[in-house]
Amino acid sequence: MKAFIFDLDGVIVFTDKFHYQAWKKMADGMGIYFDEIINNRLRGVSRAESLEIILEKCDQKLTDEKKAELMEEKNNTYRELLKTMTPADVTDTVRDTLNRLREAGYKLAIGSSSKNAKFILERVGLIDAFDAISDGTNITHSKPDPEVFVKAGEFLGVEAEECVVVEDAYAGIDAAKAAGMKAVGIGDASGYDRADYRIQAFEELLGIA
Ligand code: BG6
Ligand code: MG
């Protein structure tokens, strides 16, 4: 193995609660039922696809303009919440493990569906911790499509079979396997049997390396 590709939301930082709060505010404003179980289905899924999942509970048919407006509203709320993030939002374990993987000679990348990935990495002081960032701004298909990880491998100049993806989303594990990469399930995906490795704690990556 030559490289680790990390999902961002739910692996490096815990922005899930902010996604939830921002979508909840939008859904409440529209009178649409939304809860944490539906929110779990949004993990790794693009903003537009997330909205479609939320709209399954909406009786009205919305125009594309209205959908764009709702996505913008959600993103504005989400970015306000992201502004509260600081370097203290990254655990010492995550920072230390990333440093040790780098010292061991591995290339490190981000593979995230989010268009806010760089903004988040800047907020938490990790923008220079990765050799490449593949995110929602350089893809046309989001997970479970492999594109975001294929691009990350290309940016690093590492072959797919030499990359390990670390993911908390089932859609992300499926994307990694579709890219021909090894997959590590953590958090929500730690029980997913398609993952090649299933871990409970971030530092367990040192045992895989
Ligand atoms: C992923 C999250 O990282 O990014 C999803 O797991 C989210 O829940 C997606 O929908 C897109 O994020 P953004 O920041 O571009 O709206
Ligand atoms: Mg995630």
Side-chain angles (χ1 to χ4, degrees), residues 46 52 54 83 102 117 123 125 136-137 162-163 170 181 194:
S46 73
E52 293 300 335
I54 293 167
K83 283 183 191 161
R102 236 185 180 181
R123 294 283 334 156
T137 64
E162 294 172 324
C163 294
Y170 281 46
M181 298 176 178
R194 282 205 78 204

Side-chain angles (χ1 to χ4, degrees), residues 22-38:
W23 281 125
K24 179 77 180 149
K25 188 171 175 215
M26 183 226 82
D28 286 352
M30 290 285 292
I32 300 169
Y33 179 79
F34 180 63
D35 64 16
E36 304 232 16
I37 294 166
I38 302 172

Side-chain angles (χ1 to χ4, degrees), residues 7-10 15-16 19 23 39 41-51 71 74-75 78-79 82 111-117 120 136-137 142-143 167-169:
D7 172 51
L8 179 63
D9 294 321
T15 47
D16 330 34
H19 278 296
W23 281 125
N39 192 59
R41 290 175 56 205
L42 312 184
R43 243 177 251 281
V45 170
S46 73
R47 197 180 306 166
E49 287 163 321
S50 296
L51 178 65
M71 281 192 280
K74 182 267 175 175
N75 196 48
Y78 180 57
R79 282 178 71 98
L82 290 179
S112 166
S113 306
S114 174
K115 292 191 164 97
N116 292 299
I120 295 168
T137 64
S142 90
K143 302 167 189 175
E167 259 291 349
D168 73 314

